[in-house]
Amino acid sequence: MEQTDARGRPGIDVPDARGRTGLDRVGRGLGGNPDVVVRDVELLAAGWHVLRRTTFDYRDSHGRWSTQQRETYDRGNGATILLHDRDRRTVLLTRQFRFPVYVNGHPDGMFVETAAGLLDDDDPLTAIRRETAEELGVTVGEVTPVFDLWMSPGSVTERLHFYAAPYTPADRTGAGGGLADEGEDIEVLELDVDDALARVGGDIADAKTVLLLQWAALSGPFARR
């Protein structure tokens, strides 16, 4: 938790390292569910992302009220995209080191996944065009929205916007690889779609990537017509 100084509490009364205040106000005004009454929101940490503990009253299906607490991790919303070449039956993916999976049992932390990133201050479509150029070196043309999903609803607030787009070798206008000043070191992988599907559950163990690959095979560009 960030330390309180004489001026106030960073992220609450005074700006934190990212210039934010009022981080303990999120969720206090929720009114969409009459069976949930928010009582208190505590700011536990506000580094790059935000950890809160919320106390609320909850009425269950039997009409009984109880007071509960939940911790939520707010990293903002994100977007991801599957680039596909239907004629050559290929997809473009990334491979990069992910410490959270490495510390939780992945053999080396080198994770194969679709290009993705946080929205920051952009709308989802602008954000995914930015991430595609940075990570894959591709200038995206027409983009198809696939679905919006919450990936870890028990604790993480992030809503992820899924997209797909065609590409050709001519669209690979840059080197990709991500932004070095943000610590990114991304390898671009062009895989046969059948090979990628066969690797699901093996070295392709990323949920968003599996969802997009299965969508592509079942009802997307590689579905049997």
Side-chain angles (χ1 to χ4, degrees):
M1 182 182 296
E2 295 192 31
Q3 297 297 314
T4 301
D5 60 25
R7 299 174 301 161
R9 297 163 295 177
I12 299 178
D13 306 303
V14 299
D16 66 1
R18 298 184 64 186
R20 302 170 297 190
T21 58
L23 295 177
D24 62 329
R25 307 304 304 172
V26 174
R28 291 182 183 270
L30 292 174
N33 188 339
D35 297 324
V36 178
V37 180
V38 175
R39 297 299 183 188
D40 188 37
V41 180
E42 302 169 76
L43 180 64
L44 301 181
W48 189 252
H49 305 309
V50 181
L51 180 64
R52 299 179 179 90
R53 179 167 56 218
T54 300
T55 303
F56 58 91
D57 295 337
Y58 175 73
R59 180 166 53 190
D60 65 20
S61 58
H62 301 287
R64 296 173 301 209
W65 286 94
S66 63
T67 299
Q68 302 185 15
Q69 287 187 328
R70 293 291 186 275
E71 291 184 3
T72 56
Y73 186 57
D74 183 356
R75 60 191 304 271
N77 294 327
T80 186
I81 191 167
L82 179 68
L83 295 191
H84 54 82
D85 186 329
R86 181 182 296 173
D87 293 336
R88 296 189 302 130
R89 292 187 59 80
T90 58
V91 294
L92 274 187
L93 303 177
T94 68
R95 187 172 183 264
Q96 60 185 305
F97 178 70
R98 295 293 202 185
F99 181 78
V101 304
Y102 184 45
V103 77
N104 194 30
H106 191 278
D108 59 8
M110 301 303 296
F111 219 47
V112 178
E113 54 190 294
T114 50
L118 295 177
L119 304 186
D120 295 326
D121 295 324
D122 290 328
D123 62 87
L125 190 55
T126 299
I128 202 55
R129 290 184 182 277
R130 177 194 72 222
E131 295 296 330
T132 305
E134 291 176 359
E135 295 190 4
L136 297 175
V138 173
T139 301
V140 174
E142 181 180 358
V143 174
T144 299
V146 179
F147 32 59
D148 295 344
L149 302 175
W150 282 267
M151 301 297 288
S152 188
S155 58
V156 181
T157 63
E158 181 184 16
R159 184 182 186 185
L160 193 60
H161 303 270
F162 288 73
Y163 294 99
Y167 81 97
T168 68
D171 297 321
R172 300 181 67 175
T173 56
L179 301 179
D181 59 357
E182 294 185 3
E184 294 180 333
D185 180 25
I186 298 172
E187 178 186 359
V188 180
L189 300 179
E190 185 171 59
L191 301 179
D192 177 90
V193 66
D194 295 319
D195 177 36
L197 286 165
R199 291 162 65 172
V200 167
D203 68 333
I204 297 182
D206 172 63
K208 65 182 181 294
T209 306
V210 173
L211 286 165
L212 280 172
L213 286 172
Q214 292 182 342
W215 165 83
L218 293 173
S219 58
F222 303 112
R224 294 182 178 179
R225 308 298 179 185

